[in-house]
Amino acid sequence: MDPDYYLGIDGGGTRCRARLTDAQGVLLAQAEGGPANVFAAYDAAIGALDALIAQVTREARIAVARLHIVAGLAGANVPSVQRRLASWRPACASLRVVTDVEIACMGAHGGAPGAVFIVGTGSQGACWDGDSFTLLGGWGFALSDLGSGAILGQRALRLALLAHEAILPASPLTQRLMARFEDEAETLLLWSQQATTADWGSVVPEVFAAAQQGDFHGLALVRQSAEEIALMAQPLLARQSGKLALMGGLAQPIAPYLPETLRRQLTTPQGDALSGALALARHR
């Protein structure tokens, strides 16, 4: 009988990543590709995924037919996207498509039951009970993504414009943000019409730097994000008390601003999303 090989794919960031191992967990190949958000750009995401699979199988010299694949993809929680994904059939031994937050949850707890809340450009939570997942949030920038970098960045720029028009008092942070746009409201307006969530999130490091320096607007913005993360954490903790990991690009900088009660309940992630995808592939 041919041996099993496992391919984990993380399509949750601006770049999708893949990791291929044998049954003993020995790394055989890994690669990066383009974005794989199947809600935002389905055709481009599938193209990136197919190219990624071809790259790792070529590098490891293993036929696609011998792979058990788990792909965690941003946007895969949307029912209409799930129906569309039913037509994506790589010629592999088995395929399971979940969301990027689900594989992050598996990775955070080493495949054991637990919960995770991801705070990056967007945000989403998940719980794994050992058999199935429960998802929370993840409905996009316009409707959801509480505590995320994109929301924080948008609020910061709204605040900068209010201060620019003397509706609210200015601070060094609001002045620096408006200086990015030549202190012109129209320049900011034109930028906002084309801005992606990553663009909105690009100002977040400046917001955290201002908060650390005691800027009153920076502190208020960061504390509001921390309150939203605490709000989203409560239903996750209700399902998996003491087993909640905070992950994503904002997890570390936001930690000092979280309520102390929440900080005490957080656990350190054991692994990343790719290790979670591989654990879920073996769990089949």
Side-chain angles (χ1 to χ4, degrees):
M1 180 182 295
D2 289 337
D4 287 331
Y5 295 95
Y6 301 97
L7 179 62
I9 298 175
D10 175 14
T14 56
R15 301 279 293 171
C16 60
R17 301 179 300 140
R19 188 178 298 162
L20 174 62
T21 74
D22 63 16
Q24 287 70 47
V26 175
L27 178 65
L28 303 176
Q30 53 188 355
E32 286 193 5
N37 187 315
V38 287
F39 176 75
Y42 181 86
D43 292 333
I46 294 301
L49 293 167
D50 287 339
L52 203 61
I53 294 169
Q55 183 177 345
V56 292
T57 51
R58 183 169 59 249
E59 181 180 330
R61 297 183 180 179
I62 293 170
V64 175
R66 298 172 69 181
L67 299 182
H68 298 282
I69 301 175
V70 167
L73 308 178
N77 59 309
V78 180
S80 60
V81 175
Q82 292 172 357
R83 291 191 291 271
R84 196 172 181 186
L85 280 166
S87 64
W88 181 50
R89 298 188 182 94
C92 54
S94 68
L95 171 67
R96 182 173 181 181
V97 178
V98 295
T99 67
D100 52 320
V101 72
E102 289 169 276
I103 59 173
C105 188
M106 290 290 286
H109 302 284
V116 69
F117 189 62
I118 297 179
V119 278
T121 301
S123 70
Q124 190 175 15
C127 289
W128 167 250
D129 62 9
D131 181 59
S132 61
F133 288 99
T134 300
L135 303 185
L136 181 72
W139 298 107
F141 175 63
L143 297 174
S144 187
D145 286 356
L146 290 183
S148 70
I151 295 293
L152 176 56
Q154 185 192 50
R155 285 187 181 134
L157 288 169
R158 283 177 180 269
L159 193 61
L161 183 57
L162 288 169
H164 176 73
E165 295 190 305
I167 298 169
L168 291 175
S171 76
L173 171 62
T174 62
Q175 291 169 343
R176 287 195 298 270
L177 292 178
M178 283 306 300
R180 286 181 171 224
F181 303 95
E182 303 171 346
D183 290 310
E184 292 287 345
E186 183 181 1
T187 304
L188 175 55
L189 169 66
L190 295 173
W191 174 90
S192 71
Q193 291 178 324
Q194 305 296 325
T196 65
T197 54
D199 293 332
W200 289 108
S202 68
V203 306
V204 165
E206 197 157 355
V207 176
F208 275 101
Q212 291 168 1
Q213 294 163 6
D215 184 288
F216 67 96
H217 279 317
L219 280 168
L221 287 163
V222 170
R223 286 169 177 163
Q224 184 176 6
S225 291
E227 290 172 1
E228 291 176 346
I229 291 170
L231 175 68
M232 298 295 286
Q234 294 314 305
L236 297 169
L237 284 167
R239 290 178 175 272
Q240 293 290 341
S241 179
K243 295 181 180 179
L244 172 63
L246 196 63
M247 299 177 73
L250 264 65
Q252 184 175 354
I254 200 72
Y257 302 93
L258 296 174
E260 184 179 352
T261 53
L262 175 56
R263 291 201 305 270
R264 289 200 302 263
Q265 295 179 83
L266 295 178
T267 186
T268 302
Q270 297 178 29
D272 63 7
L274 276 177
S275 65
L278 290 167
L280 193 56
R282 290 190 292 269
H283 178 81
R284 70 181 178 82

